[in-house]
Amino acid sequence: MKKMLISMLLILGLIFTLSACSNEATDSPDGTGIGQVTEIETIYIGALFPSNGAQAELIADLQAAMLVAADIINNSHDIEWDLAQNAGLANYGHAKVEIVFADCGVTAASARVAAEELISQGVSIITGCYDSTLTAAVAEVCQKHGIPMISGSARDDSLTDGEQSFASVFNRIAMSSIQETDLFLNYLNQYNLTTSAGIQSAAIAYINNDYGNTAAEYLETSLNNNGLQVVAIVGYDASSTDFAEPASRMIANAPDVIFQISSTNDLIGMAQVYQGASFTPDLALCYSGGFQQQEFLTAASELGVEFYSGVMVCPDILYDDGDPETTDAKEAAADIFSYIDQLYRQRTQQGMDTSAYLEFASIIVAAQAVDAAGTTDPETLNTVLKETSFAAPYLFSGTIDFDEQGQNSISSGYIATIYGGRYQWVFSPVNTEQNSLAN
């Protein structure tokens, strides 16, 4: 039924568009859009997620964030952001977007079947999945049909390592572990310079899966290359529930800084052991996933272990670094996020976390790509996604820019520390490449 409805709507939209173009449109000199029609077909964006399983509640939150993005695009909002004020895609006849959610199951095979079905229904772009294995399976189907895919929060480095056949259609907004590592090392250098901390030794705790192994390997090499002694590398099983042994091994080597490549429960379990042993390294630097969850923030605050820092994406709404030139842009991002967060709370009764915000961004970028392309032609959209810098005034980075492998080359995150029961900005990377932006 949904397939028939979408097909009928697309056909009706095409008929109306051809009529409108013949009466009102003028050719765009650069071929990137018409910009004169008063109405155009709805833009259908596919979003695949597993509907059952352990992550069902999380998936519902990610879907809610996507619906907030559609609200921002389709309706006029009183915030300083052109896209949010235009009530539709201004350069594409004020077309609206509609998200077509579908269940991709929990296996690569079921994800491929779901992707084929969505594409047959006429979606212009596919988003979602969250899980990296499912994301790769869907990206393979997108490559087969030439349909663009935008991943908000899937994190496995292999998705954009240059070895995948689907690079031409795939785009990821989340930072890779390589980008996170480089950000951590920049922060460590700054921290040593400004505090005279003299950090010289490091220990690494990592979850023993593809993501954790890849991240830990690159981190160890990078630390050695930067003159830091790695005194312990402690892996643990993904199904672990008792973290006394791995945490004790970290403590025994007395590192100046610890790195945690861990999920939320892992971080909490190890933090409890650290607190019990009165272990207080100068810094604990956490890779994104677990650190960004409200559950960990609450636990760390209650334990009093506020030496934790990590990568955040959602802007710090109380940001102020004392520099008027940078504060203005970041304060504007914080204001926009605060507005978005309120819309999200109306749907979920909770604040928006980083994974949800990245999925929000995937819908925004999908709409921006269609708006910039002036068409839903997949080949044109793939070109636009790779060649356009997309304005992201809702992020501290201000920009999303995909490289040829599909990785967002502009760091979407910053370093935050836990202080006073909240995440507080402490360090941002300097993004020097600023191209013309698509709003």
Side-chain angles (χ1 to χ4, degrees):
M1 181 66 70
K2 182 183 289 182
K3 175 179 178 181
M4 183 179 296
L5 175 61
I6 293 177
S7 298
M8 291 176 64
L9 288 172
L10 290 174
I11 292 170
L12 289 172
L14 179 59
I15 293 171
F16 182 85
T17 300
L18 291 173
S19 173
C21 289
S22 65
N23 293 324
E24 302 180 45
T26 58
D27 291 336
S28 170
D30 58 5
T32 59
I34 298 167
Q36 298 294 317
V37 297
T38 57
E39 189 176 348
I40 207 162
E41 76 270 16
T42 298
I43 308 304
Y44 293 98
I45 301 172
L48 288 166
F49 290 104
S51 61
N52 297 306
Q55 295 179 326
E57 185 176 343
L58 167 64
I59 297 306
D61 293 339
L62 303 184
Q63 292 173 328
M66 290 176 149
L67 291 173
V68 171
D71 183 359
I72 289 289
I73 296 160
N74 292 339
N75 301 297
S76 181
H77 297 266
D78 187 20
I79 53 176
E80 293 298 319
W81 181 12
D82 289 348
L83 183 69
Q85 297 173 352
N86 290 333
L89 304 183
N91 295 323
Y92 197 46
H94 287 273
K96 310 294 187 181
V97 302
E98 181 175 325
I99 304 170
V100 183
F101 291 108
D103 180 10
C104 66
V106 296
T107 68
S110 63
R112 292 188 188 97
V113 171
E116 291 279 4
E117 177 64 18
L118 266 187
I119 291 170
S120 73
Q121 291 178 15
V123 298
S124 299
I125 296 174
I126 287 183
T127 61
C129 291
Y130 181 71
D131 176 85
S132 293
T133 298
L134 301 179
T135 299
V138 171
E140 290 170 359
V141 177
C142 288
Q143 172 67 25
K144 171 184 169 183
H145 295 280
I147 299 295
M149 181 176 186
I150 303 173
S151 168
S153 57
R155 301 187 184 280
D156 198 306
D157 286 344
S158 66
L159 292 170
T160 54
D161 66 1
E163 301 298 322
Q164 302 293 350
S165 62
F166 50 68
S168 63
V169 302
F170 184 75
N171 309 275
R172 173 175 52 192
I173 299 171
M175 294 173 68
S176 69
S177 67
I178 292 173
Q179 289 175 313
E180 289 187 280
T181 298
D182 293 344
L183 178 56
F184 284 141
L185 292 177
N186 285 336
Y187 175 52
L188 271 180
N189 288 334
Q190 186 251 18
Y191 187 83
N192 271 336
L193 287 172
T194 57
T195 66
S196 300
I199 291 176
Q200 297 180 336
S201 62
I204 304 168
Y206 68 96
I207 191 168
N208 190 11
N209 58 18
D210 288 344
Y211 174 79
N213 291 328
T214 301
E217 181 180 356
Y218 182 78
L219 173 59
E220 180 186 11
T221 300
S222 298
L223 290 171
N224 288 329
N225 289 342
N226 280 267
L228 288 168
Q229 181 186 9
V230 179
V231 296
I233 304 177
V234 181
Y236 57 88
D237 192 77
S239 61
S240 296
T241 57
D242 184 353
F243 299 98
E245 190 272 338
S248 296
R249 288 172 60 190
M250 297 284 282
I251 294 168
N253 288 278
D256 298 326
V257 59
I258 62 172
F259 290 86
Q260 298 269 174
I261 307 168
S262 306
S263 66
T264 305
N265 290 335
D266 310 349
L267 277 179
I268 293 173
M270 297 185 79
Q272 290 169 339
V273 178
Y274 296 154
Q275 191 268 348
S278 300
F279 174 58
T280 55
D282 290 317
L283 287 173
L285 297 174
C286 307
Y287 285 70
S288 51
F291 175 79
Q292 298 164 346
Q293 303 304 313
Q294 179 66 40
E295 185 181 357
F296 175 68
L297 173 64
T298 300
S301 299
E302 291 176 350
L303 290 168
V305 287
E306 294 193 337
F307 48 76
Y308 279 93
S309 297
V311 175
M312 290 295 293
V313 172
C314 297
D316 177 359
I317 61 173
L318 300 179
Y319 173 84
D320 184 0
D321 70 351
D323 182 347
E325 292 185 4
T326 59
T327 300
D328 288 347
K330 289 185 172 62
E331 283 181 350
D335 289 343
I336 291 174
F337 169 67
S338 182
Y339 182 88
I340 292 166
D341 187 55
Q342 288 303 312
L343 296 179
Y344 182 76
R345 287 174 184 272
Q346 292 171 15
R347 293 176 179 270
T348 65
Q349 289 71 57
Q350 64 183 1
M352 185 179 282
D353 66 19
T354 285
S355 294
Y357 208 38
L358 289 168
E359 297 300 344
F360 166 92
S362 71
I363 300 300
I364 296 297
V365 173
Q368 289 174 313
V370 173
D371 200 35
T375 179
T376 56
D377 171 66
E379 184 176 354
T380 304
L381 287 176
N382 283 319
T383 299
V384 166
L385 283 163
K386 288 295 192 289
E387 295 183 355
T388 305
S389 293
F390 297 97
Y394 51 92
L395 297 175
F396 272 1
S397 63
T399 310
I400 291 173
D401 192 342
F402 302 113
D403 63 22
E404 288 302 309
Q405 306 307 326
Q407 178 60 50
N408 177 17
S409 60
I410 306 296
S411 174
S412 58
Y414 62 95
I415 301 291
T417 192
I418 294 176
Y419 182 77
R422 72 178 188 88
Y423 295 112
Q424 179 174 303
W425 172 93
V426 292
F427 180 78
S428 293
V430 176
N431 294 315
T432 56
E433 294 185 9
Q434 298 291 333
N435 303 315
S436 59
L437 305 182
N439 294 316

